């Protein structure tokens, strides 16, 4: 990490939540309750006096897979905090399955009577160039999987909750994406595509549900927040896209370098993909692996590899603090933003993208206008077409 002087350091992250005014406790429905953002947010809204319905994938929870250890620690904290106990409901939810979405929504309404705020937090990243993702049947199937998680799972739960909010003529839907919904990123093409897809869906839906007093907000977190706090899957690199052959700053190199520079980072929970044709049944020893290589090597393995970056608690809290603060500030707001970009770095990046788009538009404005022949038709006499 940088040893920059204190005067050059970034401003401190917001420490206390800022909730919009409301007349009664709200009911939050969080789709993937085990994510770091979901857990941090749940603690704050429970402390504030709201209710939380947290969805967990049953198989993951039973087998303690993925991020469920942190969620189980959170449940212990809830058990020991009397004012939280009766205001949390955990429901089984794999949002890729329509039936589970409908059942989870019904259970939430039965428990707390309504749903005021839906928060869609499901997100996973696939690292690999477009060409690398076409190398085998397994890498091709990852494209379907990333859209199932980042797009269709969100669509399924939105459709399940929408009738509840529409009938009450009140509700707020929030979908967490990233600035990757604005910016294409080399090596994250399919991830960016899934983000753009869900944002287009939400933008269109917002107009449809506005007459029912149901609001829609897209929260764009920094790229690092979504990628580093969720599962990362990397496909085998092609020689043509290695850094010595291709100078483009690919996501694989960006995240490999970032994680290698983090002081005190713990060993990542890495697993080879058992569906990969080159999968080995030998057990991967984190200690032995990390002694010989770095996490960067895991992202460049010759098999499809999935991992969760085991970020130290303090670093993880700092990483997600801005996003959690934004969610508490807009969740359930009477007039929430349609799109909220989290953090000054994201705002700057999106402004630069919009400026470039505007400049290109002006550079080719004459070409754009040249195809508009309506005005010419208006000046031509009807007899000219006889």
């Amino acid at each position: 990490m940088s040893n920059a002087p204190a005067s050059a350091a970034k401003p401190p992250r917001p420490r206390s939540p800022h909730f919009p005014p409301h007349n009664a406790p709200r009911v939050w429905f969080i789709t993937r309750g085990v994510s770091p953002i979901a857990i941090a947010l749940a603690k704050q809204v429970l402390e504030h006096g709201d209710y939380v319905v947290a969805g967990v994938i049953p198989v993951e929870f039973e087998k303690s897979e993925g991020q469920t250890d942190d969620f189980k620690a959170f449940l212990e904290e809830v058990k020991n905090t009397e004012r939280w106990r009766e205001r949390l409901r955990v429901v089984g939810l794999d949002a890729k399955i329509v039936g589970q979405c409908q059942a989870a929504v019904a259970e939430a309404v039965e428990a707390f009577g309504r749903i005021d705020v839906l928060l869609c937090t499901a997100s996973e990243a696939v690292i690999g160039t477009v060409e690398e993702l076409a190398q085998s049947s397994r890498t091709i199937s990852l494209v379907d999987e990333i859209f199932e998680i980042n797009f269709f799972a969100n669509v399924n739960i939105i459709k399940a909750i929408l009738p509840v909010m529409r009938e009450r003529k009140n509700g707020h839907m929030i979908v967490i994406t990233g600035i990757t919904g604005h910016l294409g990123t080399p090596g994250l093409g399919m991830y960016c595509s899934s983000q753009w897809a869900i944002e287009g869906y939400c933008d269109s839906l917002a107009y449809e549900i506005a007459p029912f007093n149901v609001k829609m907000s897209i929260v764009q977190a920094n790229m690092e927040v979504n990628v580093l706090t969720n599962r990362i899957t990397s496909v085998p690199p092609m020689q043509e896209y290695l850094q010595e052959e291709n100078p483009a700053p690919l996501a694989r190199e960006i995240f490999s370098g970032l994680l290698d520079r983090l002081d005190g980072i713990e060993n990542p929970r890495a697993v080879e993909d058992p569906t990969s044709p080159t999968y080995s049944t030998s057990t991967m020893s984190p200690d032995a692996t990390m002694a010989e290589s770095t996490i960067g090597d895991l992202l460049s393995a010759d098999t499809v590899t999935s991992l969760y970056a085991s970020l130290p608690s303090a670093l993880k809290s700092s990483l997600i603090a801005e996003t959690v603060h934004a969610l508490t500030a807009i969740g359930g707001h009477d007039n929430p933003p349609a799109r909220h970009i989290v953090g000054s770095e994201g705002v700057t990046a999106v402004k630069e993208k919009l400026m470039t788009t505007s400049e290109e538009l002006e550079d080719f404005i004459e070409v754009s206008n040249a195809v508009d022949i309506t005005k010419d038709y208006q000046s031509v006499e009807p007899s000219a077409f006889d």
Side-chain angles (χ1 to χ4, degrees), residues 183 347-363:
L183 311 172
V347 170
T348 299
V350 171
K351 279 185 175 181
E352 290 176 354
K353 168 69 174 182
L354 295 175
M355 184 180 299
T356 300
T357 302
S358 179
E359 291 172 352
E360 289 180 347
L361 178 65
E362 292 301 324
D363 287 343

Side-chain angles (χ1 to χ4, degrees), residues 114-136:
R114 66 186 190 278
I115 297 171
D116 298 307
V117 184
L118 165 65
L119 177 63
C120 297
T121 58
S123 177
E124 291 189 8
V126 171
I127 294 179
T129 66
V130 171
E131 194 173 4
E132 288 168 348
L133 280 161
Q135 293 182 86
S136 66

Side-chain angles (χ1 to χ4, degrees), residues 51-90:
Y51 296 84
V52 173
V53 179
V56 298
I57 298 177
V59 174
E60 285 188 3
F61 190 77
E62 292 168 4
K63 296 183 178 180
S64 294
E65 295 177 347
Q67 300 164 309
T68 54
D69 288 345
D70 290 342
F71 186 72
K72 289 180 177 179
F74 163 62
L75 293 182
E76 285 298 315
E77 190 175 347
V78 171
K79 187 185 300 183
N80 297 324
T81 308
E82 185 175 355
R83 62 185 178 278
W84 292 3
R85 287 181 209 154
E86 301 302 319
R87 288 186 277 109
L88 173 69
R89 174 64 64 95
V90 179

Side-chain angles (χ1 to χ4, degrees), residues 279-322:
Y279 173 68
S280 170
T281 56
S282 61
T283 302
M284 179 182 288
S285 169
D287 293 335
T289 301
M290 295 304 289
E292 300 172 358
S293 60
T294 68
I295 189 172
D297 295 312
L298 293 177
L299 294 183
S300 299
D302 58 2
T303 61
V304 173
T305 303
S306 295
L307 60 87
Y308 288 89
S310 296
L311 304 175
S313 298
L315 176 60
K316 187 186 299 180
S317 297
S318 175
L319 186 64
I320 66 177
E322 289 180 339

Side-chain angles (χ1 to χ4, degrees), residues 16-282:
S16 58
H18 175 71
F19 292 93
H22 51 93
N23 297 325
R26 296 159 303 176
V27 179
W28 293 69
F29 189 108
I30 304 176
T31 59
R32 185 164 174 76
V34 300
S35 74
I37 289 177
I39 294 172
L41 178 70
K43 291 179 181 180
Q44 293 198 3
V45 300
L46 286 171
E47 184 64 25
H48 183 64
D50 289 347
Y51 296 84
V52 173
V53 179
V56 298
I57 298 177
V59 174
E60 285 188 3
F61 190 77
E62 292 168 4
K63 296 183 178 180
S64 294
E65 295 177 347
Q67 300 164 309
T68 54
D69 288 345
D70 290 342
F71 186 72
K72 289 180 177 179
F74 163 62
L75 293 182
E76 285 298 315
E77 190 175 347
V78 171
K79 187 185 300 183
N80 297 324
T81 308
E82 185 175 355
R83 62 185 178 278
W84 292 3
R85 287 181 209 154
E86 301 302 319
R87 288 186 277 109
L88 173 69
R89 174 64 64 95
V90 179
V91 296
L93 176 63
D94 183 345
K96 298 190 299 296
I97 303 173
V98 173
Q100 286 194 22
C101 293
Q102 296 169 338
V105 170
E107 186 175 344
V109 173
E110 181 180 2
F112 300 131
R114 66 186 190 278
I115 297 171
D116 298 307
V117 184
L118 165 65
L119 177 63
C120 297
T121 58
S123 177
E124 291 189 8
V126 171
I127 294 179
T129 66
V130 171
E131 194 173 4
E132 288 168 348
L133 280 161
Q135 293 182 86
S136 66
S137 59
R138 175 58 190 138
T139 58
I140 292 172
S141 71
L142 286 174
V143 177
D144 292 334
E145 291 176 18
I146 199 71
F147 271 84
E148 283 288 339
I149 294 167
N150 293 354
F151 179 74
F152 288 107
N154 288 324
V155 169
N156 290 342
I157 194 64
I158 286 172
K159 290 194 296 185
I161 284 181
L162 179 54
V164 176
M165 293 183 171
R166 176 171 47 77
E167 290 175 9
R168 292 188 64 247
K169 288 188 166 42
N170 186 62
H172 187 193
M173 298 181 177
I174 305 174
V175 177
I176 299 179
T177 61
I179 60 169
T180 43
H182 262 118
L183 311 172
T185 304
L188 282 177
M190 291 306 159
Y191 176 72
C192 292
S193 299
S194 67
Q195 302 277 288
W196 287 50
I198 192 60
E199 290 205 3
Y201 176 87
C202 291
D203 281 343
S204 301
L205 179 63
Y207 291 103
E208 300 171 3
I209 62 180
F212 306 112
N213 194 37
V214 179
K215 291 94 171 178
M216 170 65 74
S217 294
I218 295 169
V219 174
Q220 295 182 326
N222 280 338
M223 179 171 61
E224 294 86 349
V225 174
N226 267 347
V227 175
L228 295 181
T229 61
N230 291 292
R231 186 170 67 171
I232 306 170
T233 298
S234 182
V235 303
M238 292 174 58
Q239 180 68 34
E240 291 82 357
Y241 291 98
L242 295 179
Q243 200 164 26
E244 55 268 23
E245 302 287 341
N246 190 329
L250 298 178
R252 180 180 284 109
E253 283 70 38
I254 293 173
F255 284 105
S256 296
L258 176 62
L259 290 174
D260 287 343
R261 288 196 302 271
L262 292 174
D263 293 335
I265 189 169
E266 303 167 12
N267 290 329
R269 298 188 291 276
V271 291
E272 289 181 317
D273 188 338
T275 59
S276 172
T278 55
Y279 173 68
S280 170
T281 56
S282 61

